[in-house]
Amino acid sequence: MMTESHHVSSRFDEDLARLRTQVLQMGGLVETQVAAAIDAYSSGEVGSVKAIVDGDRRVNELEKAIDDDCAHIIAKRQPTASDLRLVLGVSKIVTDLERAGDETKKIAKGIRRIYENGHLPGQFGPGVQHLAEAALNLVRQALDSFARLDTGQATQVIRLDDDVDVEFKSIIRQLITHMMEDPRTITTSIDIITIARAIERIGDHAKNISEQVIYIVEGRDIRHIKEAAK
């Protein structure tokens, strides 16, 4: 009887380990997509835009597969305590990863529109490149905090997202001034604003992932705490 119980427990551990691996695989794909979009923004490689858009399909497929695995584990294994928190946390993390992938697709399409209008994105929107690199760093750190279940690193990501928000608002103010001074730049500036907004939201999704890491490890739901305190 103990042997059978041990086998069941071992298979359950394997299920959870595979779940974590799948999340990191999906996260790695999103990270690659964001990095490719940043490169396209600065280099003018419009050809990579199609690859970014196509890559989003794979992100969506992984989200569905991981969601199915979460449902299967809950139904078959009936996890409790920290194991249940891991499964529930993963189901929320993959939603944020999928949405980050959607935002990356918006960035790619915005870049394509700018090039099709005969411009180079890097000529416009000062600070967008830096904002994108900061958001990509948040995604990397959030995934690393999940891989190691490191609440300290997760907390750091949540703090750093505030800096991304501040930088985003600064970029928007500069672009609005730019449009007022030269109305000919309005169309391209609006595309840059769309790109910057998508980048800012990627940072938000990295923050959400980090909040789930804290929930998985400590059982604390810290979402919306700052808003409630205002």
Side-chain angles (χ1 to χ4, degrees):
M1 187 69 179
M2 283 186 63
T3 304
E4 183 181 344
S5 176
H6 174 74
H7 285 322
V8 170
S9 176
S10 178
R11 285 196 297 271
F12 183 31
D13 289 342
E14 288 170 6
D15 288 344
L16 294 178
R18 185 171 60 252
L19 197 62
R20 289 179 65 182
T21 300
Q22 286 177 305
V23 172
L24 293 172
Q25 179 188 357
M26 182 181 177
L29 181 54
V30 171
E31 187 181 320
T32 300
Q33 297 284 88
V34 176
I38 294 172
D39 288 343
Y41 183 88
S42 60
S43 69
E45 278 296 320
V46 189
S48 64
V49 169
K50 185 179 184 301
I52 293 167
V53 173
D54 290 344
D56 187 57
R57 295 192 190 99
R58 178 60 181 149
V59 172
N60 294 342
E61 289 168 2
L62 282 168
E63 182 198 21
K64 290 176 183 175
I66 294 169
D67 273 343
D68 287 346
D69 283 349
C70 286
H72 177 79
I73 288 172
I74 289 173
K76 187 175 181 181
R77 305 297 186 190
Q78 297 181 342
T80 59
S82 61
D83 291 336
L84 179 59
R85 292 203 306 270
L86 174 61
V87 178
L88 295 176
V90 161
S91 71
K92 290 185 172 65
I93 286 171
V94 296
T95 297
D96 276 294
L97 286 174
E98 188 274 332
R99 288 176 180 166
D102 286 345
E103 297 298 338
T104 306
K105 186 165 68 171
K106 289 179 191 174
I107 295 169
K109 289 181 175 180
I111 291 168
R112 184 169 59 196
R113 283 194 302 272
I114 292 168
Y115 283 124
E116 287 172 350
N117 289 329
H119 299 294
L120 294 174
Q123 296 175 324
F124 300 89
V128 172
Q129 182 82 17
H130 184 266
L131 181 73
E133 288 167 356
L136 177 59
N137 179 55
L138 292 187
V139 173
R140 286 175 174 155
Q141 288 201 50
L143 290 170
D144 192 44
S145 72
F146 172 73
R148 299 190 291 119
L149 295 179
D150 184 339
T151 56
Q153 188 172 19
T155 301
Q156 175 76 352
V157 172
I158 294 166
R159 279 201 298 264
L160 289 173
D161 181 58
D162 289 339
D163 296 337
V164 171
D165 293 343
V166 169
E167 192 167 350
F168 165 71
K169 289 173 184 173
S170 173
I171 288 170
I172 297 304
R173 284 195 297 270
Q174 291 175 51
L175 283 166
I176 290 171
T177 301
H178 194 52
M179 287 187 284
M180 291 171 66
E181 291 174 350
D182 186 357
R184 293 171 301 175
T185 67
I186 287 175
T187 300
T188 300
S189 293
I190 288 172
D191 281 328
I192 298 291
I193 288 172
T194 300
I195 289 168
R197 166 62 75 183
I199 293 168
E200 186 264 342
R201 285 178 175 158
I202 288 171
D204 287 343
H205 290 307
K207 180 188 75 170
N208 293 346
I209 290 167
S210 299
E211 289 174 346
Q212 288 305 316
V213 171
I214 292 171
Y215 168 72
I216 290 167
V217 176
E218 299 181 359
R220 291 191 298 127
D221 186 348
I222 64 167
R223 294 174 298 170
H224 315 306
I225 286 178
K226 184 181 290 187
E227 288 89 338
K230 289 179 180 178

